Amino acid sequence: MKILVINGPNLNMLGIREPDIYGRTTYESVCGKIRDYAAENGVEVEIYQSNHEGDIVDKIQSAYGKFDGIVINPAAYTHTSVAILDALKAVSIRAVEVHISDVNEREPFRHISYAGMACEHHIIGHGVDGYLEAIAYLAGAGS
Ligand code: CA2
């Protein structure tokens, strides 16, 4: 099974600022955890991060026919991007939405998720372990 993990804007800053919200694990460490977990579970994983909406759309489109699942944390684009929602719908790859923080307990503008409307499962507020739970879900369910 091949899973593409996509992270949106500023997630490359993890562990550097706002540790009270996003924890102290750096982005590189999160990527390491994801790679280790995937290898232990026989999953092939590619991790992608971009600060640019169109690049994320391009990456989702390029996954068509190549990946069995997408784990996506669109970060701030979660709450604004119909383009990312449409791209996820267009490729029709099983997708899981991850948020490190509990967006539903934060500002009202974080309560809407466009990308989430194309995802079959949502892991919200479980910290960076949410990425591993998402991989476990995709690898376990329907594989
Ligand atoms: O909780 C999440 O995973 C979010 O997707 C993170 C986004 C935020 O806009 C969403 O509402 C919820 C923000 C990612 C920015 O990450 C930072 C990391 C370190 C320092 C500052 C921002």
Side-chain angles (χ1 to χ4, degrees), residues 8-19 21-23 73-79 98-103 106-107 109-110 125 131:
N10 298 308
L11 284 164
N12 54 318
M13 300 292 281
L14 278 179
I16 297 172
R17 290 195 53 242
E18 302 199 51
I21 302 176
Y22 301 116
N73 182 349
Y77 290 140
T78 305
H79 320 299
V98 170
H99 293 290
I100 297 166
S101 65
D102 187 350
V103 282
R106 297 180 65 189
E107 305 94 320
F109 68 82
R110 295 186 203 272
Y131 291 99

Side-chain angles (χ1 to χ4, degrees), residues 48 52-64 87 91:
Y48 177 79
H52 306 280
E53 184 177 19
D55 289 346
I56 294 170
V57 169
D58 286 345
K59 191 68 187 174
I60 293 168
Q61 288 185 8
S62 76
Y64 182 72
V91 296

Side-chain angles (χ1 to χ4, degrees), residues 8-9 21 26 38 44 56 68 71 75 89 92 107 112 121 135 137 141:
I21 302 176
T26 63
E44 245 184 273
I56 294 170
D68 307 299
V71 172
K89 283 185 169 174
S92 199
E107 305 94 320
I112 179 103
H121 192 56
I135 290 170
Y137 172 85

Side-chain angles (χ1 to χ4, degrees), residues 24-94:
R24 292 189 183 279
T25 314
T26 63
Y27 183 68
E28 275 316 303
S29 303
V30 175
C31 293
K33 273 161 103 71
I34 291 170
R35 287 197 186 93
D36 289 349
Y37 185 83
E40 284 159 18
N41 289 280
V43 170
E44 245 184 273
V45 77
E46 179 181 330
I47 306 171
Y48 177 79
Q49 190 274 331
S50 176
N51 294 326
H52 306 280
E53 184 177 19
D55 289 346
I56 294 170
V57 169
D58 286 345
K59 191 68 187 174
I60 293 168
Q61 288 185 8
S62 76
Y64 182 72
K66 296 198 187 100
F67 287 89
D68 307 299
I70 292 176
V71 172
I72 186 162
N73 182 349
Y77 290 140
T78 305
H79 320 299
T80 61
S81 180
V82 178
I84 291 174
L85 166 63
D86 286 345
L88 288 168
K89 283 185 169 174
V91 296
S92 199
I93 298 171
R94 299 175 62 217

